[in-house]
Amino acid sequence: MIRCTHLALLTLALACAACSRPAGDAAQAAASADAAGKTLAEARTGVATKLITHSSGGEAPPAPPSGVLDLIHYDAPAGKLAAYLTPRPATPGKHPAIIWISGGDSNTIGDFWSPQPRENDQSAAAFRAAGIVTMYPSLRGGNDNPGEREGFYGEVQDILAAADHLAKLDYVDPQRIYLGGHSTGGTLVLLVAEIDPRFRDVFSFGPVADVSGYGQDMLPVSLSDEREIRLRSPGYWLGSIHGPVFVFEGDHDANTDQVELLRESSKNPKAQFFVVPRADHFSVLAPTTELIAKKILADTGAQTTIGFSEAELEGLLK
């Protein structure tokens, strides 16, 4: 799968890394943001990020197997970016679609098609198996894309551009586009939800409240630059969420403390937080995405009806 084999240890390290700031900092910062009356979109307006490291360019994404995924390019602010997209559905009509952002190096796409062990399946294959149109966008500076990696900043606009691409496809229902991501991808999609409410539902797996915990190796901005860190950290802007957001994590070997911090910091009923029993940062993915896929297929009304109960999550892993 996409970097699953050689990035599993990195992603596990990221899952345990988000603790460099005191736990109360995210809640305090969120309160100060609310007091200022600014949304994340407003706070970012006109702010050019100050990168201290510059990373761009790499290998082109590998060609996927024919009939499984197509390699396409979509228009984004940074230029033409690569993505994988499931082929046109065999049945006519408008279909639901989901964008999936992987963990680890979220700017880069790779092998999402090889079978993966159930306890660590980061491929989001459940959506494809259910017949949901699935798009895996690469982001600025990843693969051989134009632009530079900005670490949870300009990448938000790339994901929104991917949604624009999906919405224009004649076989996609533009009112039923969903967004999901895992680990660093979970943090990124949570930021997207705080910037723009266009997605019908957003599913974030294992995000962090404050990105400084990822460390300097993962961030191209100074950890001592408070503004740069806050503008990348979803725990400070939960009040900016205006569409349904569901956050999931396992109850051990995971970012459980971060999800609990987000839950405690949030006063926003649009955001719901769930800790899945007997799951870790990786094993939570397969059964939960399968459950989400079923709910997406049943979510056919004018407004989303997707919801989760503690009881159904309790039974996901035995």
Side-chain angles (χ1 to χ4, degrees), residues 258-279:
Q258 292 291 298
V259 171
E260 293 291 3
L261 174 59
L262 288 164
R263 188 206 304 262
E264 293 167 7
S265 301
S266 178
K267 298 179 182 178
N268 189 341
K270 290 292 187 180
Q272 298 182 41
F273 305 88
F274 299 95
V275 173
V276 179
R278 297 173 295 280

Side-chain angles (χ1 to χ4, degrees), residues 22-255:
D25 278 8
Q28 183 179 359
S32 65
D34 288 342
K38 283 189 175 183
T39 65
L40 177 56
E42 291 168 342
R44 283 190 173 198
T45 299
V47 177
T49 188
K50 298 177 181 178
L51 304 180
I52 63 170
T53 59
H54 300 272
S55 174
S56 63
E59 296 182 357
S66 177
V68 177
L69 291 168
D70 296 326
L71 176 59
I72 66 162
H73 290 81
Y74 67 100
D75 292 318
K80 289 277 190 180
L81 305 182
Y84 295 131
L85 180 65
T86 48
R88 175 185 288 271
T91 56
K94 300 283 190 177
H95 297 262
I98 189 167
I99 293 170
W100 182 258
I101 308 298
S102 63
D105 177 10
S106 296
N107 294 60
T108 300
I109 54 174
D111 180 0
F112 282 100
W113 46 85
S114 296
Q116 297 301 307
R118 187 166 179 80
E119 63 272 16
N120 184 12
D121 187 353
Q122 301 175 51
S123 69
F127 302 117
R128 305 199 311 268
I132 298 166
V133 175
T134 306
M135 182 177 184
Y136 304 91
S138 64
L139 309 174
R140 62 187 61 200
N143 295 111
D144 57 350
N145 287 337
E148 294 183 300
R149 299 167 189 262
E150 295 185 7
F152 309 97
Y153 203 74
E155 288 84 355
V156 167
Q157 301 305 318
D158 298 337
I159 294 173
L160 294 175
D164 289 338
H165 180 88
L166 276 181
K168 294 174 184 176
L169 298 177
D170 61 6
Y171 54 85
V172 168
D173 183 348
Q175 302 305 315
R176 297 175 67 202
I177 297 177
Y178 304 81
L179 175 64
H182 172 240
S183 199
T184 52
T187 300
L188 188 48
V189 303
L190 194 51
L191 287 165
V192 172
E194 294 170 340
I195 290 281
D196 194 302
R198 73 177 65 184
F199 295 96
R200 190 167 171 102
D201 296 277
V202 175
F203 310 102
S204 170
F205 286 83
V208 298
D210 187 314
V211 298
S212 65
Y214 287 138
Q216 194 66 76
D217 288 346
M218 289 294 295
L219 291 170
V221 295
S222 172
L223 296 182
S224 63
D225 190 325
E226 188 71 17
R227 183 175 71 169
E228 293 281 3
I229 296 301
R230 288 192 180 195
L231 292 179
R232 288 168 163 81
S233 297
Y236 304 162
W237 308 98
L238 295 169
S240 296
I241 293 172
H242 293 291
V245 171
F246 303 96
V247 179
F248 303 94
E249 183 57 296
D251 66 354
H252 66 280
D253 297 332
N255 282 338

